[in-house]
Amino acid sequence: MKVTVKDIVNRKGGEKIIMLTAYDAGLASLVDQDGVDLLLVGDSLGNVALGYDSTIPVTMEMMLHHAAAVRRGSSSFIVGDMPFLSYQVEASEAIRNSGRFLKEAGCDAVKMEGGVDIAPTAEAVVRAGIPVMGHIGLTPQTVSQLGGYRVQGRDAESARNLIRDAGALEEAGVFAVVLECVPDRLARYLTENLSIPTIGIGAGPDCDGQVLVSNDLLGLTNRKVPKFVKEYAALGKQAKDAVDRFVGEVREGQFPTEENSFSLPVDVESLLAENNET
């Protein structure tokens, strides 16, 4: 059964929330299984599906295109990731773009990166009737400001900033917050002191839920995966092996066989003769 925002909020401190990413209908249909509560159409599709080095080039049109595909492949609660510059300029634009995720792509909520800086915008979107998920810690859209892809909140000042960010988002009305690359003890503190659920990715075991990029979980990637990823399958290697076998069998004349071909009920000469007579 599809969960609701209320269901997610009520899972605070209870049964763990499970979220996975999806970028197209095929992958969505595979990972949309019992026990998976949320599907995130992440702007990570820029890296995973579109070949970019970062999420910065991803546009609203790209996100809507992929989010709509995920909706066609899934009946789950779907969260659309707001791409860079789709919500940072002004609140009215953020409301309009958030609404497009719901109206045009069939999403159930949106996700925004940032804390104190975007809290007023998140509040405006929530007031407009659009559920918002927050995202703090390592925020890929501002990775250049953070000094690269590194764990956040390891010193006293940055830890205090993350606590302030989380509080600002909670006050803004977000229904959950993703904690990415946050030390486990700080993630535990945030989880214990927020009234909204935390969903961790590289934030230890004490968050209210966990999220991973599905392609990483399935081993469908050529890149080096982060430390916090656990590969539950090696489908990328299996795919390469399958392609190698296909290439070899075609070159050696082993594929296609009669089993993979369609038969003709009469010989070709008789068929041609019939056509000539008519």
Side-chain angles (χ1 to χ4, degrees), residues 107-183:
C107 291
D108 300 285
V110 297
K111 181 173 76 65
M112 298 180 184
E113 294 182 10
V116 171
D117 53 334
I118 65 100
T121 299
E123 183 176 11
V125 174
V126 171
R127 282 203 311 268
I130 302 168
V132 176
M133 176 180 287
H135 181 160
I136 60 174
L138 175 58
T139 47
Q141 292 178 13
T142 55
V143 70
S144 58
Q145 290 182 322
L146 301 175
Y149 293 92
R150 58 179 65 183
V151 177
Q152 303 297 305
R154 275 185 159 163
D155 59 81
E157 181 181 1
S158 59
R160 284 194 292 268
N161 287 339
L162 282 178
I163 293 170
R164 283 194 289 269
D165 285 339
L169 291 174
E170 178 183 38
E171 189 173 342
V174 305
F175 69 93
V177 59
V178 172
L179 306 180
E180 181 169 358
C181 288
V182 174

Side-chain angles (χ1 to χ4, degrees), residues 179-225:
L179 306 180
E180 181 169 358
C181 288
V182 174
D184 52 5
R185 291 174 63 187
L186 177 56
R188 184 188 313 131
Y189 176 88
L190 290 170
T191 301
E192 291 174 348
N193 287 274
L194 289 172
S195 64
I196 56 175
T198 60
I199 300 177
I201 178 166
D206 297 312
C207 297
D208 296 300
Q210 297 291 331
V211 58
L212 279 180
V213 171
S214 294
N215 298 62
D216 292 343
L217 177 153
L218 297 171
L220 278 171
T221 179
N222 291 321
R223 67 186 178 92
K224 182 180 178 182
V225 297

Side-chain angles (χ1 to χ4, degrees), residues 5 49 55 74-75 90 147 149 156 158 180 195 197 202 240 253:
V5 168
T55 63
S74 167
S75 58
E90 58 182 31
Y149 293 92
S158 59
E180 181 169 358
S195 64
K240 287 183 177 180

Side-chain angles (χ1 to χ4, degrees), residues 24-47:
D24 56 54
L27 183 59
S29 66
L30 290 176
V31 300
D32 183 10
Q33 300 183 29
D34 288 343
V36 176
D37 302 299
L38 310 168
L39 290 186
L40 170 65
V41 187
D43 62 355
S44 51
L45 70 87
N47 309 86

